[in-house]
Short mmCIF file of all heavy atoms in Angstrom, two decimals:
data_model
loop_
_atom_site.label_atom_id
_atom_site.label_comp_id
_atom_site.label_asym_id
_atom_site.label_seq_id
_atom_site.Cartn_x
_atom_site.Cartn_y
_atom_site.Cartn_z
N VAL A 128 0.89 60.56 -104.15
CA VAL A 128 0.69 61.52 -105.22
C VAL A 128 1.18 60.94 -106.53
O VAL A 128 0.52 61.03 -107.58
CB VAL A 128 1.34 62.88 -104.92
CG1 VAL A 128 1.31 63.78 -106.11
CG2 VAL A 128 0.64 63.52 -103.72
N ARG A 129 2.35 60.31 -106.55
CA ARG A 129 2.92 59.72 -107.73
C ARG A 129 1.98 58.67 -108.29
O ARG A 129 1.69 58.59 -109.49
CB ARG A 129 4.30 59.13 -107.46
CG ARG A 129 4.98 58.54 -108.71
CD ARG A 129 6.30 57.91 -108.38
NE ARG A 129 6.22 56.92 -107.31
CZ ARG A 129 5.76 55.66 -107.43
NH1 ARG A 129 5.33 55.25 -108.59
NH2 ARG A 129 5.76 54.84 -106.39
N GLU A 130 1.46 57.81 -107.39
CA GLU A 130 0.51 56.77 -107.85
C GLU A 130 -0.78 57.37 -108.36
O GLU A 130 -1.37 56.88 -109.35
CB GLU A 130 0.23 55.80 -106.67
CG GLU A 130 1.42 54.94 -106.32
CD GLU A 130 1.23 54.18 -105.04
OE1 GLU A 130 0.09 54.24 -104.45
OE2 GLU A 130 2.18 53.55 -104.56
N ALA A 131 -1.27 58.45 -107.72
CA ALA A 131 -2.50 59.08 -108.21
C ALA A 131 -2.31 59.71 -109.57
O ALA A 131 -3.19 59.63 -110.42
CB ALA A 131 -2.94 60.17 -107.17
N LEU A 132 -1.14 60.32 -109.77
CA LEU A 132 -0.87 60.89 -111.12
C LEU A 132 -0.73 59.78 -112.18
O LEU A 132 -1.24 59.94 -113.28
CB LEU A 132 0.40 61.74 -111.05
CG LEU A 132 0.27 63.07 -110.34
CD1 LEU A 132 1.64 63.72 -110.17
CD2 LEU A 132 -0.65 63.99 -111.09
N ALA A 133 -0.11 58.67 -111.80
CA ALA A 133 -0.05 57.53 -112.75
C ALA A 133 -1.43 57.01 -113.06
O ALA A 133 -1.72 56.63 -114.20
CB ALA A 133 0.83 56.43 -112.16
N GLY A 134 -2.32 57.09 -112.09
CA GLY A 134 -3.69 56.64 -112.28
C GLY A 134 -4.48 57.47 -113.28
O GLY A 134 -5.44 56.99 -113.86
N VAL A 135 -4.08 58.72 -113.50
CA VAL A 135 -4.75 59.58 -114.49
C VAL A 135 -3.90 59.70 -115.74
O VAL A 135 -4.16 60.59 -116.58
CB VAL A 135 -5.11 60.98 -113.91
CG1 VAL A 135 -6.17 60.84 -112.85
CG2 VAL A 135 -3.90 61.72 -113.45
N GLY A 136 -2.91 58.81 -115.91
CA GLY A 136 -2.15 58.77 -117.15
C GLY A 136 -0.89 59.64 -117.23
O GLY A 136 -0.32 59.82 -118.29
N ILE A 137 -0.46 60.21 -116.11
CA ILE A 137 0.73 61.05 -116.14
C ILE A 137 1.92 60.19 -115.67
O ILE A 137 1.97 59.69 -114.56
CB ILE A 137 0.55 62.25 -115.25
CG1 ILE A 137 -0.54 63.12 -115.84
CG2 ILE A 137 1.85 63.07 -115.14
CD1 ILE A 137 -1.06 64.18 -114.96
N THR A 138 2.88 60.01 -116.60
CA THR A 138 3.98 59.09 -116.33
C THR A 138 5.28 59.77 -115.94
O THR A 138 6.10 59.18 -115.30
CB THR A 138 4.22 58.22 -117.59
OG1 THR A 138 4.48 59.08 -118.68
CG2 THR A 138 3.01 57.34 -117.86
N GLY A 139 5.48 61.03 -116.34
CA GLY A 139 6.72 61.69 -116.04
C GLY A 139 6.56 62.86 -115.10
O GLY A 139 5.59 63.62 -115.21
N LEU A 140 7.47 62.96 -114.13
CA LEU A 140 7.44 64.14 -113.24
C LEU A 140 8.80 64.37 -112.69
O LEU A 140 9.68 63.51 -112.77
CB LEU A 140 6.40 63.92 -112.09
CG LEU A 140 6.51 62.64 -111.23
CD1 LEU A 140 7.30 62.98 -109.97
CD2 LEU A 140 5.13 62.17 -110.88
N THR A 141 8.98 65.56 -112.12
CA THR A 141 10.23 65.94 -111.50
C THR A 141 9.98 66.18 -110.03
O THR A 141 9.01 66.85 -109.68
CB THR A 141 10.82 67.20 -112.15
OG1 THR A 141 11.03 66.94 -113.56
CG2 THR A 141 12.15 67.63 -111.55
N VAL A 142 10.84 65.62 -109.17
CA VAL A 142 10.70 65.80 -107.73
C VAL A 142 11.93 66.43 -107.15
O VAL A 142 13.07 66.02 -107.50
CB VAL A 142 10.49 64.41 -107.04
CG1 VAL A 142 10.38 64.57 -105.53
CG2 VAL A 142 9.20 63.76 -107.59
N THR A 143 11.75 67.43 -106.34
CA THR A 143 12.86 68.14 -105.65
C THR A 143 12.54 68.24 -104.16
O THR A 143 11.42 68.56 -103.77
CB THR A 143 13.03 69.58 -106.22
OG1 THR A 143 13.00 69.54 -107.63
CG2 THR A 143 14.26 70.24 -105.71
N GLU A 144 13.54 67.94 -103.35
CA GLU A 144 13.38 68.16 -101.88
C GLU A 144 13.65 69.61 -101.61
O GLU A 144 14.67 70.13 -102.02
CB GLU A 144 14.36 67.25 -101.14
CG GLU A 144 14.06 65.78 -101.27
CD GLU A 144 15.02 64.91 -100.46
OE1 GLU A 144 15.84 65.46 -99.68
OE2 GLU A 144 14.97 63.72 -100.65
N VAL A 145 12.68 70.26 -100.94
CA VAL A 145 12.79 71.65 -100.66
C VAL A 145 12.47 71.92 -99.18
O VAL A 145 12.01 71.02 -98.46
CB VAL A 145 11.86 72.51 -101.55
CG1 VAL A 145 12.27 72.41 -103.00
CG2 VAL A 145 10.39 72.08 -101.34
N LYS A 146 12.73 73.12 -98.71
CA LYS A 146 12.35 73.54 -97.36
C LYS A 146 11.60 74.85 -97.45
O LYS A 146 11.90 75.68 -98.29
CB LYS A 146 13.60 73.69 -96.49
CG LYS A 146 14.30 72.41 -96.19
CD LYS A 146 15.45 72.62 -95.25
CE LYS A 146 16.10 71.27 -94.97
NZ LYS A 146 17.06 71.37 -93.84
N GLY A 147 10.68 75.06 -96.57
CA GLY A 147 9.93 76.28 -96.59
C GLY A 147 8.89 76.35 -95.43
O GLY A 147 8.85 75.39 -94.62
N PHE A 148 8.20 77.41 -95.43
CA PHE A 148 7.12 77.54 -94.40
C PHE A 148 6.07 78.46 -94.93
O PHE A 148 6.31 79.31 -95.80
CB PHE A 148 7.65 78.00 -93.05
CG PHE A 148 8.09 79.44 -93.00
CD1 PHE A 148 7.23 80.45 -92.66
CD2 PHE A 148 9.39 79.75 -93.36
CE1 PHE A 148 7.67 81.76 -92.64
CE2 PHE A 148 9.83 81.04 -93.32
CZ PHE A 148 8.95 82.05 -92.97
N GLY A 149 4.88 78.34 -94.40
CA GLY A 149 3.76 79.20 -94.69
C GLY A 149 3.07 79.49 -93.38
O GLY A 149 3.73 79.99 -92.42
N ARG A 150 1.82 79.12 -93.28
CA ARG A 150 1.08 79.34 -92.04
C ARG A 150 1.61 78.48 -90.93
O ARG A 150 1.43 78.77 -89.75
CB ARG A 150 -0.39 79.10 -92.25
CG ARG A 150 -1.05 80.12 -93.10
CD ARG A 150 -2.51 79.92 -93.15
NE ARG A 150 -3.09 80.92 -94.05
CZ ARG A 150 -4.30 80.79 -94.56
NH1 ARG A 150 -4.99 79.73 -94.29
NH2 ARG A 150 -4.79 81.76 -95.33
N GLN A 151 2.28 77.37 -91.28
CA GLN A 151 2.82 76.45 -90.28
C GLN A 151 3.88 77.13 -89.43
O GLN A 151 3.99 76.81 -88.24
CB GLN A 151 3.46 75.27 -91.02
CG GLN A 151 2.86 73.93 -90.65
CD GLN A 151 3.48 72.81 -91.41
OE1 GLN A 151 3.87 72.99 -92.61
NE2 GLN A 151 3.55 71.67 -90.88
N LYS A 152 4.64 78.01 -90.00
CA LYS A 152 5.67 78.79 -89.32
C LYS A 152 6.68 77.99 -88.52
O LYS A 152 7.21 78.49 -87.53
CB LYS A 152 5.01 79.84 -88.44
CG LYS A 152 4.17 80.78 -89.21
CD LYS A 152 3.85 82.04 -88.42
CE LYS A 152 3.28 83.06 -89.32
NZ LYS A 152 1.92 83.38 -89.21
N GLY A 153 6.96 76.80 -88.91
CA GLY A 153 7.98 76.05 -88.23
C GLY A 153 7.55 75.51 -86.90
O GLY A 153 6.38 75.54 -86.53
N HIS A 154 8.51 75.00 -86.12
CA HIS A 154 8.20 74.47 -84.80
C HIS A 154 9.47 74.44 -83.96
O HIS A 154 10.57 74.68 -84.41
CB HIS A 154 7.63 73.05 -84.93
CG HIS A 154 8.55 72.06 -85.57
ND1 HIS A 154 8.67 71.93 -86.92
CD2 HIS A 154 9.38 71.15 -85.03
CE1 HIS A 154 9.55 71.00 -87.18
NE2 HIS A 154 10.00 70.48 -86.05
N THR A 155 9.31 74.14 -82.68
CA THR A 155 10.45 74.10 -81.74
C THR A 155 10.82 72.67 -81.45
O THR A 155 9.98 71.81 -81.30
CB THR A 155 10.06 74.81 -80.42
OG1 THR A 155 9.58 76.11 -80.69
CG2 THR A 155 11.20 74.87 -79.47
#
């Protein structure tokens, strides 16, 4: 994703490690 954004001219971004769930609903 970072390389793809750089490819369209976007040089700055913020990245955060997060946790969550949606339809995936976790796993065992």
Side-chain angles (χ1 to χ4, degrees):
V128 170
R129 184 184 51 79
E130 290 169 8
L132 287 171
V135 294
I137 296 168
T138 56
L140 55 96
T141 301
V142 177
T143 311
E144 292 181 9
V145 296
K146 292 184 179 192
F148 70 92
R150 289 187 182 162
Q151 238 176 329
K152 297 197 170 107
H154 61 278
T155 305

